[in-house]
Amino acid sequence: MSVDPTADPSAAADLEALYAGLDAARLRPLWTITDQLLTPTPRPKAVPWLWRASEMRPLAERAIRLVPVERGGERRVLSLTNPGLGGRPYAAGTLWGALQCLGPRESAPAHRHTPGAIRFVLEGEGVWTTVDGDSCDMRPGDLVLTPGGAWHDHTNGGDGNMFWFDGLDLPMVEALDGVFFEAHPDFNQAASGPHNRSEDEYARTGPGMGTLVPGAVTDALDPEPSPLLVYRWSDTDRRLSELAAAGSGPLTTLEFTNPRSGASVLPTLACSAHRVAGGDLASAPTRRSGNTVYVVYRGEGTSVIDGQRFDWTAGDMFVVPSWAAVEHRSGPGADLFGLSDTPVLRALGIYREETLLGPQEVTRVFG
Ligand code: GTQ
Ligand code: FE2
């Protein structure tokens, strides 16, 4: 600042006393910390990271054998814990990601909470999630929504283990000091009719070809969650094939949308599916504000995240933190599921993305 403490020892002592006084009064001078706060570009604490199915899977199987699912224990969930977040159990600063598993004939108790959740099914059969009385059958590749405030419980009516990815906006809701949780009076809520009623009502309606749109949702914001609670892999797969056949390059992306409004599936969360074409062609490196968790559904490949290489295979999960440049490629071809916080950034007018085409060329999209 304007005072040069080396010029005048008493001024130096005054300045030191000022800083001590500020500290004691719990005031912090912005001029000492502005560089860490108003950074030129986002500086997420979460780091690029990959969790391998080969490591998670045996641990999940041990948990199925050793830890029962019951009131008190609640859910058998292994949270992706990003090493950049100082031990907080989050995949990224804004996103919860986890592997959940249920053994044969097990059930996880009914409850509701303000954070919203999505499930992307990896493996197994015979499980359904009941959402406000509507039991949604879960099969590999399906996306199931449990919007904030909706009662939900999971039941395995089959004889095998079941594994799925959970994504929640919990860290965002926590940052807003808005977490409420409530256990249902009954262990499982009663289903109020046949299974998959939201699917029967909404799966074949909505803007365009149902609910799977190419690219990302850019204009529609909806504070209401999607009334459609389940998106079937057979539809996702077919739509990806159509788009890829129409020639979309090394990466074909679609977003799951709310059939009522065309918005992202939840007010806080966007879900996407990505087909990485075989042949090892890299997609254009892209960076976005906001965090993304990817789940590898099929195939194998490589993503380069801010210069770091991650080789992945089916069942792996990885995080692309805000503003990290990412490109994907695959030899045999692969399908990825993506979860991101984009709707929140868009709603607040702070979303940015850019595609790095070559050494000099950059396509910027602000807002
Ligand atoms: O299945 O309801 O991964 O409430 C974290 C919190 C799953 C669930 C998680 C949850 C659930
Ligand atoms: Fe829950």
Side-chain angles (χ1 to χ4, degrees):
M1 302 303 300
S2 52
V3 183
D4 175 6
T6 55
D8 177 352
S10 78
D14 286 351
L15 201 50
E16 211 171 296
L18 169 63
Y19 285 128
L22 288 168
D23 196 50
R26 301 197 174 273
L27 295 169
R28 192 84 75 84
L30 175 62
W31 61 86
T32 65
I33 51 174
T34 189
D35 292 359
Q36 303 142 55
L37 299 178
L38 293 163
T39 56
T41 54
R43 237 175 254 172
K45 292 198 174 61
V47 295
W49 199 259
L50 171 84
W51 291 264
R52 290 189 193 287
S54 61
E55 200 171 0
M56 293 190 283
R57 180 58 187 268
L59 292 165
E61 282 168 351
R62 268 159 71 190
I64 291 176
R65 286 196 298 273
L66 295 174
V67 187
V69 180
E70 54 196 17
R71 276 266 188 253
E74 297 289 343
R75 289 170 291 298
R76 197 186 291 106
V77 166
L78 307 174
S79 86
L80 306 180
T81 299
N82 191 294
L85 296 177
R88 298 169 80 220
Y90 300 141
T94 53
L95 297 174
W96 169 279
L99 177 65
Q100 181 161 177
C101 47
L102 272 184
R105 309 286 158 186
E106 280 186 325
S107 192
H111 62 276
R112 64 181 174 185
H113 37 67
T114 46
I118 64 91
R119 333 273 160 193
F120 180 76
V121 182
L122 292 168
E123 219 185 299
E125 56 184 12
V127 170
W128 60 88
T129 290
T130 304
V131 186
D132 279 343
D134 184 9
S135 296
C136 304
D137 292 323
M138 300 165 78
R139 290 184 288 268
D142 292 350
L143 167 66
V144 176
L145 310 181
T146 57
W151 292 111
H152 55 284
D153 51 339
H154 317 291
T155 301
N156 187 350
D159 298 322
N161 292 338
M162 180 97 176
F163 302 88
W164 67 86
F165 167 79
D166 284 323
L168 280 82
D169 56 14
L170 175 57
M172 289 188 254
V173 180
E174 185 199 43
L176 295 165
D177 291 327
V179 176
F180 292 83
F181 173 94
E182 202 180 338
H184 195 277
D186 306 321
F187 191 91
N188 290 128
Q189 61 180 309
S192 49
H195 284 207
N196 308 312
R197 293 198 311 283
S198 80
E199 184 182 6
D200 290 343
E201 191 165 351
Y202 293 105
R204 316 282 152 209
T205 62
M209 149 94 197
T211 50
L212 308 170
V213 305
V217 166
T218 54
D219 47 3
L221 296 166
D222 192 346
E224 290 296 318
S226 169
L228 173 63
L229 300 172
V230 56
Y231 297 71
R232 296 294 174 203
W233 174 250
S234 53
D235 294 327
T236 308
D237 187 29
R238 186 175 352 102
R239 192 77 175 117
L240 284 171
S241 300
E242 285 168 10
L243 290 168
S248 43
L251 187 67
T252 302
T253 289
L254 60 80
E255 185 166 337
F256 299 89
T257 63
N258 176 335
R260 215 177 251 156
S261 59
S264 301
V265 289
L266 295 185
T268 50
L269 297 174
C271 292
S272 52
H274 309 263
R275 178 152 294 170
V276 190
D280 236 8
L281 284 172
S283 60
T286 300
R287 55 182 165 215
R288 305 188 164 81
S289 54
N291 300 297
T292 304
V293 180
Y294 286 99
V295 179
V296 183
Y297 181 57
R298 288 207 297 211
E300 58 186 51
T302 299
S303 298
V304 180
I305 311 172
D306 264 354
Q308 249 181 290
R309 178 186 167 142
F310 294 89
D311 295 323
W312 38 253
T313 185
D316 291 358
M317 302 172 186
F318 62 96
V319 170
V320 178
S322 185
W323 213 241
V326 62
E327 59 183 85
H328 310 288
R329 63 193 155 84
S330 170
D335 291 326
L336 306 175
F337 171 81
L339 172 73
S340 70
D341 49 16
T342 321
V344 176
L345 288 108
R346 286 197 197 277
L348 302 177
I350 55 174
Y351 180 69
R352 294 192 182 193
E353 67 174 53
E354 58 183 42
T355 303
L356 312 157
L357 300 168
Q360 248 79 54
E361 290 170 282
V362 173
T363 310
R364 281 215 168 77
V365 181
F366 285 1

